[in-house]
Amino acid sequence: MNLFLETSVMLVVSSLLLVWLKSIRTAIKILSLQSFFLGITGFLLAWETGEVDMYIMAILTIVVKAIVIPSILDSTMRKMYIKRETDKFIGREISLLSAAGLVVFSYVITKPLGVIMSDSGHPYLPNAISMLLIGLFVMITHKKAIMQGIGLIVIENGLFLFALSASGGMPFMVDIGIFLDVFVSVILISLLSYRMDQTFKSISTDWLRKLKG
């Protein structure tokens, strides 16, 4: 197994851990670790291709996604006096089995595409699709806004890996634009969670549904 594939597998394992964990602060640490591995993946590709843009994106991935964003989310959690455990619509065991099923599904649907992918990209496509689906799964099954924000970042990490596997990365300006979108989204989610905690003493999105007339 080459180093590129090992980091790709670690990205999927970290996604599965996010489904299993109960502590939100531990989930934030796992998200940081996942983003660090994504940055390492970017460095490996940059080393392979020699593209300067890819080095920059790898550095930004580690700085923004592995350090800054987790720090913002963790700071938000420390300011709130809520129960710091995840709150899901379904149990952990069913969640983990469902997420594992999504990984298997990703390998099944991408297997035929292997013949049209580049040799360097082929091993990473199913793992990228797995992260996309698991991130969406986290957003759908969790009630707390912070965890839904974490699911959003996992989706974006999956998109980044998908771009690496399919075409060696997106255009530089597109990557920068996505970085800004994710960063702003995290800021908004943190502010929303803090305001919800101050108002409802909870960050469950169930409270938002009760605001409907």
Side-chain angles (χ1 to χ4, degrees):
M1 182 180 289
N2 60 52
L3 188 56
F4 210 156
L5 185 55
E6 286 178 349
T7 56
S8 173
V9 171
M10 288 304 297
L11 291 171
V12 175
V13 171
S14 61
S15 300
L16 291 172
L17 283 175
L18 289 174
V19 173
W20 176 255
L21 289 172
K22 292 181 69 175
S23 167
I24 295 178
R25 294 191 70 180
T26 304
I28 293 172
K29 292 175 182 173
I30 294 297
L31 178 69
S32 174
L33 190 63
Q34 178 183 96
S35 299
F36 175 77
F37 280 119
L38 188 64
I40 295 298
T41 304
F43 270 118
L44 291 172
L45 185 66
W47 178 266
E48 193 173 271
T49 61
E51 293 185 15
V52 177
D53 289 354
M54 192 59 65
Y55 278 112
I56 296 174
M57 291 311 303
I59 293 171
L60 284 175
T61 298
I62 291 177
V63 172
V64 176
K65 291 185 179 177
I67 299 175
V68 177
I69 287 179
S71 298
I72 292 172
L73 293 175
D74 191 61
S75 174
T76 302
M77 289 299 300
R78 280 189 276 109
K79 291 176 183 175
M80 297 187 293
Y81 300 98
I82 60 169
K83 186 179 179 183
R84 290 169 179 159
E85 291 186 354
T86 58
D87 191 8
K88 291 183 272 193
F89 292 105
I90 56 178
R92 289 200 302 164
E93 293 79 7
I94 295 177
S95 294
L96 186 60
L97 283 174
S98 300
L102 291 175
V103 174
V104 173
F105 176 73
S106 301
Y107 272 83
V108 170
I109 64 170
T110 55
K111 187 176 181 180
L113 300 177
V115 295
I116 63 173
M117 301 299 295
S118 64
D119 290 340
S120 61
H122 171 64
Y124 323 117
L125 182 62
N127 292 341
I129 300 295
S130 298
M131 292 175 67
L132 283 169
L133 295 177
I134 292 174
L136 183 62
F137 183 75
V138 169
M139 290 189 72
I140 292 173
T141 56
H142 281 76
K143 297 181 181 179
K144 292 184 175 175
I146 288 277
M147 285 304 299
Q148 293 175 353
I150 289 175
L152 175 66
I153 297 169
V154 173
I155 290 175
E156 205 283 323
N157 284 347
L159 281 173
F160 188 81
L161 186 63
F162 179 85
L164 289 179
S165 66
S167 59
M170 288 180 280
F172 183 70
M173 293 309 295
V174 174
D175 277 331
I176 294 295
I178 292 175
F179 260 105
L180 289 174
D181 283 345
V182 171
F183 187 71
V184 171
S185 298
V186 168
I187 296 292
L188 292 176
I189 288 170
S190 297
L191 290 174
L192 175 65
S193 298
Y194 182 72
R195 293 298 299 171
M196 287 175 64
D197 178 64
Q198 295 295 304
T199 305
F200 304 118
K201 304 303 177 187
S202 169
I203 56 172
S204 172
T205 52
D206 285 345
W207 287 97
L208 297 180
R209 295 190 182 93
K210 294 178 181 177
L211 295 177
K212 293 180 180 177

